[in-house]
Amino acid sequence: MSGAVQTQTQERKGEQVSLKIEGMTCAACATRIEKGLNKINGVIKANVNLTLERATVVYNPETVRPADLIQKIKDLGYGASLHKEEAERADDRKKEIRFHQVRFIVSAILSVPLLYTMIAHFGWTGFYMPHFLMNPWFQFALATPVQFIIGWPFYRGAYKAIKNGSANMDVLVALGTSAAYFYSLAATIKGNADKLYFETSAILITLIVLGKLLEALAKGRTSEAIKKLMGLQAKTATVVRDGKEISIPVEEVSVGEIIIVKPGEKIPVDGIVRSGTSAVDESMLTGESVPVDKKPGDPVIGSTINKNGVLTFEATKVGKDTALAQIIKVVEDAQGSKAPIQRVADKISGIFVPIVVAIAVLVFVVWYFFADAGNFTRALENAIAVLVIACPCALGLATPTSIMVGTGKGAEMGILFKGGEHLEAAHKLNTIVLDKTGTITKGQPELTDVITLSDKTEEELLRLVATAEKNSEHPLAQAIVKGAEERNITLATTDAFEAIPGFGLSAVVNNHRLLVGTRKLLQRENVPFESATDRMEELENEGKTAMLVAIDGELAGIIAVADTVKESSKEAIAKLQELGLEVVMITGDNRRTAEAIAKQVGITEIRAEVLPEEKAKEVEYFKKQGKKVAMVGDGINDAPALATADVGMAIGTGTDVAIEAADVTLMRGDLSSIPTAIKLSQKTMGNIKQNLFWALFYNSIGIPVAAVGLLAPWVAGAAMAFSSVSVVLNALRLKRVKI
């Protein structure tokens, strides 16, 4: 079993809770909280997402409670509460933006005069300098509110970090600005007006607050995918109660209620059509633009749009059980998860701040005692510049912002990644294993041939076989039963029935013992079938699935069905091969039928006559060869193989089973989403690497430049603030990428 499967199995043993965290300022904060939560007895796994400001914790409810987790986060110096609904989170985001806006405006008003004094000091500017601006106590009056009111969150965060034996961005900002402020205060008290750096501390804080404001605005855009999905939900539903049609809020709909949907209206909840026919636009969930025809007995999905007919359907899933609600949860969980590549940033952030403080101290010592001996001012400036330029905010945002945007874009295209780790793994794939029935083919075979090889007529043979097959849920069995019904054949009663996976079935009908299935089945039961071999091969060469029928221990005939290839399969497989991927088809069908289907779609590598339990072994075989394997199936009978693969992809329409079984769910229901998913993974990973490069570039270049005295503190502050913004904006580029 793969590591991913073990993790999923382990996580299912506990319960999961999402917590809103307040007060995180950089990756070091997220790392510290994550480590703290993982140390708690009873916590199975904890992930902290800086961008979402959220912790996702899997825990043992017998050992620990959510209240204990919240208290632990508070003990570490941060605010925590249970995760809120999207609407409430949107309100929180607005409050956060408003908070930063007020801080920035006040800070800017107080800092601009100080900035003017700094610029006017340069004689070449020719700026007029009012005398009162040069008064040290006036500058002190402007800088003090910025330092201790606007800058108070930095002091509070630094205190809590140090109290807990760690360091974060707040420590760097508090140290750097305090050094400039208190040095200037001491000079003011001594009457030395030539050595004031009030503008340095005030402008640094103003620029950092501006960066936080821009970051909050940009981060709000990263969660637009969730907002769009939430916006798809219908607000009201027309239900039939006491024989009357009434309109009620969708939240009040109950399972089993009869709902009427008119042309142009949204289908409010999931259900089964009871009467009426129409075409339904499901593009908002599947990405498929062609409307889907609906008739009695067909399922409908909440939030899709009824196009041209009146549908009456019975509600089967409401509220959080609907397909859309499940999709929103999958996307939220994926955006809150951590991709393996983020471990690089986490490790760096965990040791980064203490190292930077040590470098700043070393820079001060070298400048004060050696490079420019006795020049305290210059040594202090360079040390402050090192502290400020090194803030690891951008490093913490580099991965989660791209994961958020990438998984959100996938959802818009009908591709649901269950977590960031699967989005990352997809770009490494080099082998795609495709199940045949329902994946390459439509999975809706039709009865094509009834060949009798005994004294039974075709009608008698079909009646016996269809009667036996009506007890089976296998698509081939359903095709035979449907074929008999279309021929107006009345079915008899089954006295006994046994499904034999991978072989066929055994049944007793009208006191006759029937065997219907593969050559292996008849071999096992010692029934000769050599006389049917040539005819079987002819049918199989035509791409049909031929089944032998034995009655009372003697060969009686052949039943053949054909499952047609999906229109998009050949083109999608060609695209996968163009990407350099090895494509393998796996099926329980015999080799001739498999080869006929494979030839139609351009596949050369085939695994035929594979029993359901052996599919996982076939996937394991490819993995042992060092290949990165994706298994693509229907998410139900292929579950073991899906779980064994590096990435399991379920073809489906967002059902519970499909989402549960696979790492990726392809809502569109065809293979064209597979190359799209892989390309999206490649684009996202490229974006993450760009972000990590720029985040590390700022620090690796900025620290040496600041250390040698070529970077003024206020310039360092501006660079630090905009490094975070640039990372978020670069992640947002994924929204516009065409795949």
Side-chain angles (χ1 to χ4, degrees):
M1 185 179 286
S2 70
V5 178
Q6 290 174 336
T7 301
Q8 290 173 5
T9 304
Q10 185 185 43
E11 287 179 21
R12 290 193 189 103
K13 294 178 182 177
E15 294 185 7
Q16 181 171 301
V17 65
S18 290
L19 304 174
K20 167 74 175 174
I21 302 177
E22 298 175 359
M24 289 193 295
T25 55
C26 67
C29 299
T31 301
R32 184 163 74 258
I33 295 171
E34 191 172 287
K35 286 181 179 178
L37 289 172
N38 278 312
K39 287 179 181 177
I40 298 175
N41 183 33
V43 171
I44 298 169
K45 183 181 180 183
N47 274 332
V48 176
N49 188 303
L50 174 64
T51 309
L52 285 176
E53 297 173 335
R54 188 170 113 201
T56 303
V57 186
V58 181
Y59 65 98
N60 182 349
E62 296 177 0
T63 309
V64 66
R65 300 170 302 162
D68 301 323
L69 305 175
I70 290 172
Q71 188 56 49
K72 176 63 176 179
I73 295 172
K74 289 181 177 178
D75 291 343
L76 291 170
Y78 302 88
S81 59
L82 290 174
H83 177 58
K84 299 177 181 179
E85 294 296 327
E86 176 63 28
E88 295 178 88
R89 297 207 308 276
D91 289 338
D92 288 345
R93 182 70 70 188
K94 288 177 182 176
K95 289 176 183 176
E96 179 190 2
I97 291 171
R98 182 63 182 162
F99 172 69
H100 288 310
Q101 283 176 333
V102 172
R103 287 180 73 203
F104 171 67
I105 291 169
V106 173
S107 189
I109 290 171
L110 295 171
S111 301
V112 165
L114 295 172
L115 177 63
Y116 184 84
T117 63
M118 184 180 71
I119 296 173
H121 267 118
F122 299 109
W124 51 267
T125 61
F127 285 3
Y128 167 70
M129 175 67 72
H131 182 69
F132 72 90
L133 285 181
M134 299 305 297
N135 186 310
W137 292 106
F138 179 76
Q139 293 187 20
F140 166 78
L142 292 174
T144 300
V146 176
Q147 188 70 35
F148 297 109
I149 297 177
I150 305 300
W152 176 247
F154 300 121
Y155 282 103
R156 182 180 59 204
Y159 167 74
K160 290 177 178 178
I162 293 171
K163 179 185 174 183
N164 287 285
S166 62
N168 61 2
M169 183 199 88
D170 294 328
V171 173
L172 298 180
V173 174
L175 277 176
T177 59
S178 295
Y181 175 85
F182 286 110
Y183 175 76
S184 301
L185 177 58
T188 298
I189 294 170
K190 290 179 180 179
N192 190 351
D194 293 333
K195 295 183 178 180
L196 300 182
Y197 291 92
F198 285 123
E199 78 280 355
T200 298
S201 63
I203 293 166
L204 279 176
I205 290 173
T206 302
L207 286 170
I208 293 167
V209 171
L210 173 61
K212 286 291 178 187
L213 171 60
L214 295 174
E215 188 181 306
L217 289 168
K219 282 198 295 188
R221 291 175 57 199
T222 62
S223 58
E224 282 179 3
I226 295 290
K227 295 174 188 173
K228 284 183 180 178
L229 288 171
M230 295 288 288
L232 293 176
Q233 293 176 321
K235 301 296 185 289
T236 61
T238 302
V239 299
V240 179
R241 291 181 180 175
D242 299 325
K244 297 180 180 179
E245 295 181 16
I246 60 172
S247 180
I248 62 172
V250 71
E251 295 82 9
E252 297 179 13
V253 176
S254 301
V255 172
E257 287 202 275
I258 300 300
I259 300 171
I260 296 174
V261 187
K262 297 174 183 176
E265 292 182 344
K266 282 186 179 179
I267 293 170
V269 296
D270 296 4
I272 299 293
V273 177
R274 294 302 176 213
S275 65
T277 58
S278 183
V280 175
D281 180 0
E282 298 182 346
S283 60
M284 63 285 295
L285 295 182
T286 66
E288 179 57 63
S289 59
V290 179
V292 181
D293 291 332
K294 299 292 180 181
K295 61 184 183 303
D298 288 341
V300 288
I301 305 172
S303 305
T304 56
I305 299 174
N306 183 29
K307 298 295 285 185
N308 51 28
V310 178
L311 290 176
T312 301
F313 72 95
E314 179 184 340
T316 56
K317 291 181 181 178
V318 300
K320 293 184 179 179
D321 294 328
T322 63
L324 180 64
Q326 290 184 49
I327 291 166
I328 290 172
K329 185 179 184 304
V330 169
V331 177
E332 282 187 328
D333 290 346
Q335 292 187 340
S337 66
K338 186 172 289 189
I341 195 171
Q342 193 170 337
R343 294 177 193 144
V344 177
D346 289 347
K347 286 180 181 178
I348 295 172
S349 299
I351 60 172
F352 194 72
V353 175
I355 290 174
V356 168
V357 173
I359 292 172
V361 171
L362 179 63
V363 167
F364 178 85
V365 169
V366 169
W367 275 97
Y368 186 71
F369 291 102
F370 303 103
D372 194 354
N375 190 337
F376 182 86
T377 301
R378 190 168 188 190
L380 180 65
E381 277 188 349
N382 294 338
I384 291 172
V386 169
L387 286 171
V388 174
I389 192 67
C391 288
C393 308
L395 197 60
L397 294 168
T399 300
T401 47
S402 295
I403 292 293
M404 282 184 70
V405 178
T407 52
K409 186 173 181 66
E412 292 173 9
M413 302 171 75
I415 302 167
L416 298 183
F417 288 94
K418 212 171 184 182
E421 65 272 27
H422 309 308
L423 180 59
E424 177 176 342
H427 89 287
K428 300 177 182 177
L429 296 172
N430 51 32
T431 303
I432 311 294
V433 178
L434 303 174
D435 178 48
K436 180 182 78 70
T437 306
T439 302
I440 295 175
T441 63
K442 292 179 179 178
Q444 297 175 335
E446 297 177 355
L447 178 65
T448 57
D449 298 88
V450 179
I451 301 169
T452 181
L453 301 174
S454 66
D455 58 352
K456 300 286 184 186
T457 66
E458 289 185 9
E459 183 176 329
E460 290 174 332
L461 181 66
L462 183 56
R463 176 182 291 109
L464 290 172
V465 173
T467 299
E469 295 282 13
K470 72 179 181 181
N471 296 288
S472 173
E473 294 182 356
H474 195 284
L476 299 181
Q478 293 174 357
I480 294 171
V481 173
K482 185 178 179 182
E485 291 173 348
E486 289 173 349
R487 289 166 172 79
N488 296 317
I489 295 175
T490 304
L491 303 186
T493 303
T494 306
D495 299 317
F497 173 84
E498 180 190 2
I500 308 171
F503 291 88
L505 63 84
S506 171
V508 176
V509 180
N510 292 347
N511 297 320
H512 294 292
R513 182 170 183 261
L514 266 72
L515 296 172
V516 184
T518 63
R519 297 171 176 83
K520 289 181 180 179
L521 177 63
L522 269 64
Q523 277 180 339
R524 196 174 80 166
E525 298 293 331
N526 297 315
V527 177
F529 59 86
E530 289 73 15
S531 60
T533 301
D534 291 342
R535 190 73 181 96
M536 285 272 288
E537 290 179 359
E538 287 178 19
L539 294 168
E540 288 164 354
N541 288 334
E542 295 170 8
K544 298 175 181 177
T545 300
M547 290 163 279
L548 293 167
V549 182
I551 300 177
D552 297 328
E554 293 185 1
L555 182 66
I558 303 172
I559 299 285
V561 297
D563 184 8
T564 55
V565 172
K566 292 177 182 177
E567 291 80 1
S568 60
S569 292
K570 184 174 182 179
E571 182 182 354
I573 289 167
K575 286 181 179 178
L576 289 171
Q577 291 167 338
E578 286 172 11
L579 290 173
L581 299 165
E582 179 184 3
V583 182
V584 181
M585 187 179 81
I586 191 167
T587 178
D589 273 348
N590 63 77
R591 176 158 288 277
R592 284 191 179 83
T593 302
E595 286 177 347
I597 296 294
K599 187 176 181 181
Q600 290 181 46
V601 295
I603 294 178
T604 56
E605 185 78 15
I606 304 167
R607 295 288 189 274
E609 299 179 27
V610 179
L611 298 175
E613 63 270 22
E614 293 176 349
K615 289 183 179 179
K617 293 179 182 178
E618 292 290 342
V619 171
E620 195 65 50
Y621 166 78
F622 288 110
K623 289 178 68 176
K624 286 179 180 178
Q625 292 182 323
K627 296 177 179 179
K628 295 294 182 182
V629 184
M631 172 66 195
V632 187
D634 62 14
I636 302 172
N637 60 357
D638 296 314
L642 288 167
T644 303
D646 294 296
V647 178
M649 295 185 177
I651 296 283
T653 54
T655 61
D656 296 354
V657 178
I659 291 176
E660 181 64 28
D663 305 317
V664 183
T665 300
L666 308 175
M667 300 290 292
R668 189 176 293 177
D670 60 39
L671 301 185
S672 61
S673 295
I674 302 173
T676 303
I678 293 171
K679 288 178 183 176
L680 178 59
S681 172
Q682 293 171 343
K683 295 287 185 183
T684 303
M685 291 308 300
N687 192 270
I688 289 173
K689 289 172 182 177
Q690 290 168 6
N691 283 347
L692 288 173
F693 169 80
W694 285 112
L696 292 169
F697 176 81
Y698 274 110
N699 293 322
S700 58
I701 299 298
I703 291 174
V705 172
V708 298
L710 298 177
L711 201 63
W714 73 271
V715 176
M720 186 276 290
F722 286 103
S723 67
S724 300
V725 178
S726 66
V727 162
V728 177
L729 292 177
N730 186 54
L732 287 170
R733 287 194 311 109
L734 278 172
K735 284 178 172 289
R736 300 189 300 273
V737 169
K738 291 186 178 180
I739 300 174

